[in-house]
Amino acid sequence: MEALAYESFREKATKKLGVNPLDAKLSKSYLSVAFIVLLIGGVLGLIQGLERAGLLQLPSWLNYYQVLTAHGILLILVFTATFTIGYMYAALSHTLGGLLPSVRKLAWTGFGLMLFGVVLVVYTVVMNEASVMYTFYPPLAASPIFYIGLVFVVLGIWACCFGAFINYNNWRKNHRGQVTPLYAFFAMGVFVLWFFGSIGVTVEVLTLIPWSLGWKETVNIMVARTLFWSFGHTLVNIWYLVATSAWYVALPKIIGGNVFNDKLARLVVVLLVILNIPGGFHHQIIDPGISESVKFLHVFMSTSIAFPSLMTAFAMFAMLERAGRKHGGKGLLGWFTKLPWGDVRFLAPMIAMIAFIPGGAGGIINTSNQMNQVVHNTLWVVGHFHITVGVTVVLTFFGITYWLVPYLSRRKLTPQMNRLGVIQTIVWTVGMLLMSGSQHLVGLLGDPRRTSFTTYGDHPTALSWVPYEYVMALGGTLLMLGVIIQVYAVFNMMFLAPKGESEFPVGEVEASESPTPLWTERWSIWIILMLMVVAMAYVVPIVDFIVNGPPGSPPIKTW
């Protein structure tokens, strides 16, 4: 009855508006929080860059590590989570005929839980009770309120995961014998990874709460770090899945092409879900207490992600070439000039895709045992993170907003706003090249990460880093300008742009393509395979850490 009543309402709403206003309100609320958080996180990032270059002295009531912790949590966790939910729920609503009322309630519940958790986390950081950075490694101990806040954030995400599962399964029940729309399939992959990938870090946080309260004297450091990275590594590929959903589905429509291959896209999603979670140990290559055989296994699993990534690279270049030739491109590279470079909806994700090439190469270096020893604790890693997330992921997110926000708001993307978007994309790209490029280079010279400005007593080696840090600060300044332009663009398109209908771009497959087989929808099988691979990678080492681990550590506060 609920579904029937809702379907009747939605038919009336979509005939008039083209989008269910209740679903649109939900997605816009998540997106609004995302870009408010982006603005705050951007300011904190600029402060870090200026402090690191020695161009800014923070006041006595604010220290570098408070800024670093807040910047990481707000941008890495909160911005990406709220954007992903707003975007993926809009995709589910559009492709599955709307959200069920019960699903919408779950998503609003998740919204409230996440906001409450973020307030608790930020409060402890501001009060200088949680300068433990984004990774919050023990034995550094934050206030118990910090960890409790993280629990609420995870509960909010889980509420949205369950909502997506319910809506997906409801569609499949009512459309037996049909494959789900590709956007919905991507959303399912994202939320499956999010739920299962966050179980480990949730267990970690639940053990840290009694430890930080003094109810438990010590905590097992190796177990805690390992549980964190089972999530931290997974989170990166959640962002990657979100970004590639737009590359595979929306981008072909925007450039007047076709989805390269529906079956290949679904296989990429399945492979990322199965292969992704094992691999967290490549963030712990220099950690003691992990056997070489286990490290080798996780390095192999991490490198295996390159396989679906290369499939995506092939599919994207093939899709782009076909579209360019369809529009008159001749010769070896003539198709390249026929792509709509003046359309921000294409330009931003295109630059993001190009950035994934050096970003992926840097990831292979980080994953390699011997080379990781050289770069692990340097700014190289920070540079790698910013080129992969800051360009490949975030620039795709920015490109999505230029069609998603007008669609949800029943407004138009004007030529003036498109031009501003192109300018923002260029500013962001140049800023990230300067900052990330200098971080890569100075990291090779030994400049450490997770450290505020220091010249180590004017040591010549440390002084040689300073020019690179000036370039980092310049890049950070341009990025802040890019943040301001982007936030202005989002809220202008949401509330001030001219009224009108905008398209939710969903590409179509080639007419000659054979139907997608129904076995791709066997999520029970994919989840079982994922859990088997996770067990293979984590059960033995975690049991070893517990049985043969060194004495645990009491909580330590260094600030």
Side-chain angles (χ1 to χ4, degrees):
M1 287 298 293
E2 177 189 48
L4 288 174
Y6 176 67
E7 185 63 29
S8 175
F9 164 77
R10 186 180 184 281
E11 285 178 1
K12 294 177 183 177
T14 52
K15 283 178 182 175
K16 182 179 179 183
L17 304 173
V19 58
N20 182 336
L22 298 179
D23 295 352
K25 182 179 179 182
L26 174 68
S27 286
K28 287 194 293 182
S29 297
Y30 272 100
L31 293 174
S32 296
V33 171
F35 284 94
I36 290 170
V37 166
L38 176 67
L39 182 60
I40 298 170
V43 171
L44 295 173
L46 177 60
I47 291 173
Q48 281 184 79
L50 297 176
E51 165 85 2
R52 186 65 192 247
L55 299 174
L56 175 69
Q57 180 65 49
L58 291 175
S60 58
W61 49 267
L62 182 67
N63 68 66
Y64 178 83
Y65 300 99
Q66 284 175 279
V67 175
L68 181 59
T69 301
H71 173 76
I73 289 174
L74 288 177
L75 292 189
I76 297 173
L77 186 58
V78 182
F79 166 68
T80 59
T82 48
F83 181 90
T84 295
I85 295 168
Y87 165 51
M88 290 279 91
Y89 263 71
L92 288 171
S93 174
H94 180 76
T95 59
L96 300 185
L99 301 177
L100 296 170
S102 58
V103 170
R104 201 182 309 114
K105 288 177 184 176
L106 268 175
W108 278 117
T109 301
F111 185 78
L113 289 169
M114 289 179 68
L115 281 185
F116 180 66
V118 170
V119 169
L120 294 182
V121 169
V122 172
Y123 168 78
T124 58
V125 176
V126 171
M127 298 305 293
N128 201 22
E129 292 295 330
S131 295
V132 292
M133 296 180 285
Y134 155 70
T135 49
F136 55 88
Y137 287 154
L140 290 180
S143 162
I145 298 173
F146 175 85
Y147 302 114
I148 293 169
L150 291 177
V151 170
F152 277 100
V153 172
V154 172
L155 288 175
I157 291 172
W158 283 2
C160 294
C161 290
F162 289 127
F165 301 155
I166 292 168
N167 226 87
Y168 185 92
N169 288 325
N170 177 75
W171 189 93
R172 288 199 64 201
K173 272 185 195 175
N174 295 321
H175 298 80
R176 295 190 183 279
Q178 299 180 38
V179 292
T180 51
L182 187 54
Y183 247 134
F185 194 85
F186 268 98
M188 190 67 176
V190 167
F191 287 110
V192 164
L193 262 186
W194 226 345
F195 175 70
F196 288 99
S198 60
I199 290 175
V201 74
T202 304
V203 172
E204 179 202 5
V205 170
L206 292 176
T207 62
L208 295 181
I209 291 173
W211 175 70
S212 62
L213 285 166
W215 299 348
K216 182 181 176 184
E217 290 186 8
T218 62
V219 69
N220 189 313
I221 303 300
M222 286 304 302
V223 171
R225 289 170 68 95
T226 301
L227 291 175
F228 175 84
W229 279 117
S230 70
F231 162 75
H233 176 72
T234 302
L235 189 58
V236 174
N237 282 308
I238 290 171
W239 304 330
Y240 174 47
L241 262 182
V242 175
T244 53
S245 70
W247 301 353
Y248 274 104
V249 189
L251 206 56
K253 184 72 171 180
I254 290 169
I255 66 174
N258 293 93
V259 175
F260 173 71
N261 187 290
D262 186 86
K263 294 181 287 295
L264 180 142
R266 292 171 196 264
L267 181 58
V268 166
V269 175
V270 170
L271 287 174
L272 283 171
V273 168
I274 294 173
L275 299 175
N276 173 74
I277 297 178
F281 276 125
H282 87 252
H283 293 270
Q284 299 174 258
I285 284 178
I286 67 166
D287 282 12
I290 305 174
S291 69
E292 291 299 318
S293 59
V294 169
K295 288 179 180 178
F296 177 81
L297 172 64
H298 279 252
V299 166
F300 174 78
M301 295 302 300
S302 300
T303 309
S304 69
I305 297 297
F307 182 59
S309 297
L310 289 172
M311 292 169 64
T312 294
F314 173 79
M316 292 303 101
F317 279 108
M319 178 268 293
L320 293 169
E321 182 179 0
R322 286 181 178 182
R325 294 195 184 284
K326 181 179 175 182
H327 290 90
K330 305 292 183 182
L332 181 63
L333 296 175
W335 59 271
F336 196 72
T337 63
K338 297 298 181 179
L339 298 174
W341 295 99
D343 188 339
V344 66
R345 301 172 303 163
F346 164 76
L347 179 65
M350 182 63 185
I351 293 175
M353 288 190 288
I354 293 170
F356 193 56
I357 298 171
I364 294 173
I365 291 172
N366 296 344
T367 307
S368 303
N369 190 13
Q370 291 84 355
M371 287 187 283
N372 185 279
Q373 309 290 328
V374 178
V375 301
H376 184 85
N377 281 317
T378 74
L379 278 173
W380 166 282
V381 174
V382 182
H384 165 74
F385 188 78
H386 279 91
I387 200 171
T388 51
V389 179
V391 183
T392 298
V393 173
V394 172
L395 206 51
T396 301
F397 287 5
F398 289 171
I400 290 169
T401 62
Y402 288 97
W403 55 260
L404 178 61
V405 174
Y407 169 79
L408 294 172
S409 305
R410 305 194 307 279
R411 296 179 184 275
K412 292 182 179 179
L413 174 64
T414 63
Q416 295 80 6
M417 186 55 67
N418 179 73
R419 195 176 307 116
L420 184 65
V422 170
I423 293 170
Q424 191 277 340
T425 300
I426 294 170
V427 169
W428 186 268
T429 303
V430 173
M432 198 61 79
L433 280 173
L434 291 174
M435 189 180 77
S436 177
S438 59
Q439 287 171 336
H440 275 90
L441 292 172
V442 80
L444 293 176
L445 299 178
D447 198 352
R449 59 180 172 136
R450 296 173 172 155
T451 304
S452 62
F453 178 73
T454 179
T455 60
Y456 293 92
D458 289 338
H459 190 282
T461 299
L463 291 177
S464 72
W465 303 332
V466 174
Y468 296 93
E469 292 170 348
Y470 286 164
V471 177
M472 286 164 47
L474 174 61
T477 303
L478 288 175
L479 290 172
M480 187 65 235
L481 176 60
V483 166
I484 292 171
I485 297 173
Q486 183 64 36
V487 172
Y488 166 77
V490 167
F491 288 106
N492 180 282
M493 292 185 292
M494 196 176 288
F495 299 111
L496 301 175
K499 293 279 189 178
E501 296 298 322
S502 291
E503 181 185 35
F504 193 113
V506 177
E508 298 177 357
V509 298
E510 299 279 356
S512 59
E513 185 176 329
S514 59
T516 301
L518 283 173
W519 58 259
T520 57
E521 301 285 346
R522 303 288 187 184
W523 278 101
S524 57
I525 296 176
W526 311 141
I527 291 171
I528 289 170
L529 288 174
M530 175 193 70
L531 293 176
M532 290 172 62
V533 175
V534 169
M536 176 185 72
Y538 280 104
V539 169
V540 171
I542 288 181
V543 169
D544 182 56
F545 296 156
I546 295 171
V547 174
N548 302 311
S553 174
I556 296 174
K557 181 177 178 181
T558 59
W559 62 93

